[in-house]
Amino acid sequence: MASSEFQPLQGMSDICAPEIYLWQMMEERARTVFNAYGFDELRTPVLEKLSVFQRSLGDTTDVVKKEMYSFKPSKHEIAMRPEGTAGAIRHLAGRGEEGLNARVFYIAPMFRYERPQAGRKRQFHQVGVEATGDPSPLADAECIALQKSLLDAWGLTGSKIRISTRGEPSDRKPVADGLRQALQPHVDELCEDCRRRLDENVLRVIDCKNEGCGRIVEQIPSPIEFMSDASRAYLDQVMQALETMGIEVAFNPRLIRGLDYYVHTVWEISHSALGAQDALAGGGRYAIALGKKAVQGVGFAVGFERTIMALEACGITAGQFEPAGGVWLVAVGDKALMENMKLARSLRERGIRCGMELEAKSMKAQLRKAGRSGARTVLIRGDEELEKGTAVVKNLVEGSQQEMNLEEAIRNA
Ligand code: HAM
């Protein structure tokens, strides 16, 4: 039988034990951090109308143009979410006044039809936040502080925050005109994608990964040089607040981010352990128009898969979060097997991880299974122990064995 029969689709993964324990740790700690910052969980559907993403992310972005899983089962074309912001804002815009001043977080799978490679999946997972309403630069700084608290709570060290600005919506035209003019003498040296971007979305030329384009971009003014004083002042205030809170960031005027909804502050967090796909998180302030409603907010998303790669490089691994070994019950004879069913139930009700063989098997077979289960302690009972109210306690870690009163045995489990 072809082994591919048991594989998930390309670019997608099954996440199972022991790795899942690292995911669970991240999710639990994320919830604790979000609670401290006053964010409530929001779960939106995986599927949305395609227009929700086209209007929010921008229909010339790579994500919308090339990477959406979309189909048309009925009247509307629908798509699997490639990110969490658009759906969250669709929901909040529908909630009226309250939604326009809200703080939500999500932990959810996202889907992008990209070419899979290390750190780039077709189904990946994000933990993200969106805070709507507050137009202050301090809200942006607070959001970055929250993201830093999250990475700290996971134990991640060595990450770097790069920050820049997209300016106000009124800066868009002067920035695009300025860049186009500066790039004009170099058109023939640009890659094919960038020649198209020149008309469509000239900002994206700035973060093109092509080396030749990179060299040209080095020679031209950065977008911020075409922005208004107000936009620069906004960024200054964000930077000042971050400095006051002791959060180190590097200003990088060539940071663009691939989504069109951004205004003012944008940032990305990278880690040297990640190689080519070195961004483990991204965020920024945005303005999204849905129907007659314009929603502004600030938020970020951290990718689980890339963060896990970085955590592993920091020596943080799933094994550290596996549940403690627990107890295995071994029965000698049918009566002990039934009594062990009762004992297992009472141990489990106390929250103790407990396993047992459900068929009458030899002691040797039961002990072998106990060893494989990862249990630290085995309680062995037969007719004689049942009569006396005792159990033989075998410590699998130390290899010791001792008969004890049942209650004492349970305390030792
Ligand atoms: P993004 O930069 O597109 O931003 O994605 C955020 C993170 O998701 C990335 O830094 C990366 O860790 C992870 N990610 C993205 N694509 C993939 C992939 N194909 N495979 C594995 N991981 C991936 C956003 O999605 C925005 N919604 C962030 C945001 C929220 N901005 C404001 N609010």
Side-chain angles (χ1 to χ4, degrees):
M1 219 176 301
S3 64
S4 64
E5 216 173 317
F6 307 112
Q7 299 292 326
L9 291 172
Q10 208 196 352
M12 306 196 177
S13 300
D14 301 317
I15 306 153
C16 58
E19 196 198 344
I20 196 72
Y21 292 114
L22 194 54
W23 289 68
Q24 289 177 358
M25 174 282 282
M26 291 168 73
E27 290 170 10
E28 272 161 33
R29 293 187 188 172
R31 289 193 156 86
T32 306
V33 172
F34 293 147
N35 180 51
Y37 279 80
F39 283 67
D40 294 315
E41 184 167 3
L42 171 66
R43 299 188 189 187
T44 60
V46 169
L47 293 172
E48 297 273 356
K49 284 185 198 154
L50 177 63
S51 57
V52 169
F53 303 113
Q54 284 170 326
R55 274 191 254 159
S56 314
L57 315 190
D59 44 18
T60 62
T61 54
D62 282 353
V63 175
V64 168
K65 272 183 82 163
K66 301 187 199 158
E67 297 166 6
M68 301 275 278
Y69 283 92
S70 61
F71 48 103
K72 197 173 178 190
S74 58
K75 203 171 109 209
H76 296 290
E77 194 160 6
I78 61 180
M80 292 172 83
R81 61 174 170 229
E83 59 102 57
T85 311
I89 296 306
R90 191 259 316 132
H91 165 85
L92 292 174
R95 242 164 64 179
E97 276 311 302
E98 174 217 1
L100 299 183
N101 205 339
R103 293 176 160 221
V104 295
F105 76 87
Y106 45 87
I107 301 178
M110 307 290 163
F111 303 85
R112 295 185 193 177
Y113 191 75
E114 295 194 77
R115 190 134 50 86
Q117 61 181 70
R120 200 204 273 156
K121 315 271 302 174
R122 289 180 173 167
Q123 174 172 337
F124 59 97
H125 299 76
Q126 286 185 344
V127 46
V129 305
E130 312 298 342
T132 55
D134 202 329
S136 163
L138 297 189
D140 304 15
E142 190 192 31
C143 196
I144 295 174
L146 161 56
Q147 198 170 11
K148 184 75 175 68
S149 299
L150 182 63
L151 301 184
D152 289 346
W154 290 336
L156 186 73
T157 51
S159 63
K160 292 206 164 60
I161 309 176
R162 291 179 299 144
I163 191 169
S164 186
T165 177
R166 292 279 289 258
E168 296 180 326
S170 58
D171 289 326
R172 279 203 186 141
K173 193 169 171 340
V175 168
D177 290 348
L179 290 178
R180 236 175 251 127
Q181 203 178 356
L183 287 167
Q184 208 54 49
H186 308 280
V187 176
D188 295 341
E189 303 151 65
L190 292 173
C191 73
E192 202 184 313
D193 275 343
C194 281
R195 282 205 291 274
R196 185 172 40 76
R197 287 174 183 143
L198 220 46
D199 294 323
E200 251 178 20
N201 195 346
V202 65
L203 257 189
R204 298 309 313 274
V205 176
I206 304 300
D207 70 350
C208 179
K209 301 282 178 288
N210 181 298
E211 260 181 51
C213 299
R215 274 195 299 275
I216 295 163
V217 167
E218 289 294 319
Q219 300 166 35
I220 64 166
S222 68
I224 199 166
E225 295 181 38
F226 304 107
M227 287 178 196
S228 64
D229 290 344
S231 291
R232 293 166 200 237
Y234 188 102
L235 182 67
D236 282 347
Q237 288 183 59
V238 177
M239 300 284 274
Q240 250 172 41
L242 288 170
E243 200 184 327
T244 309
M245 288 189 285
I247 296 170
E248 225 177 278
V249 295
F251 172 60
N252 182 337
R254 310 218 175 256
L255 174 73
I256 298 301
R257 308 266 307 129
L259 307 166
D260 278 357
Y261 50 50
Y262 291 117
V263 292
H264 285 301
T265 325
V266 285
W267 67 89
E268 225 160 61
I269 304 189
S270 58
H271 197 279
S272 58
L274 292 184
Q277 306 294 320
D278 73 344
L280 58 87
R285 172 163 288 279
Y286 49 83
I288 295 179
L290 283 177
K292 290 193 190 94
K293 280 232 173 90
V295 182
Q296 60 161 317
V298 58
F300 66 75
V302 185
F304 268 87
E305 286 80 359
R306 291 187 197 168
T307 304
I308 286 173
M309 287 164 74
L311 283 173
E312 282 168 352
C314 296
I316 296 170
T317 55
Q320 296 159 17
F321 303 99
E322 271 191 81
V327 189
W328 194 267
L329 305 183
V330 167
V332 183
D334 291 344
K335 194 160 170 228
L337 181 61
M338 287 312 285
E339 283 299 316
N340 277 356
M341 289 290 283
K342 197 162 96 189
L343 177 58
R345 186 165 141 78
S346 105
L347 290 174
R348 287 164 179 164
E349 277 175 355
R350 293 191 216 176
I352 299 172
R353 189 175 168 109
C354 173
M356 61 183 276
E357 179 63 75
L358 298 176
E359 271 179 294
K361 289 255 171 87
S362 71
M363 167 93 90
K364 200 169 155 203
Q366 291 185 67
L367 286 175
R368 206 179 310 123
K369 197 144 176 196
R372 277 204 302 263
S373 77
R376 292 155 61 106
T377 316
V378 176
L379 301 193
I380 307 169
R381 297 196 298 169
D383 292 344
E384 206 185 308
E385 286 77 17
L386 290 180
E387 183 105 344
K388 287 192 281 179
T390 61
V392 174
V393 179
K394 198 171 162 62
N395 184 320
L396 293 185
V397 182
E398 292 162 12
S400 58
Q401 183 169 315
Q402 198 185 345
E403 184 169 346
M404 294 178 198
N405 163 296
L406 185 60
E407 266 315 307
E408 198 188 341
I410 291 170
R411 272 198 304 278
N412 270 277

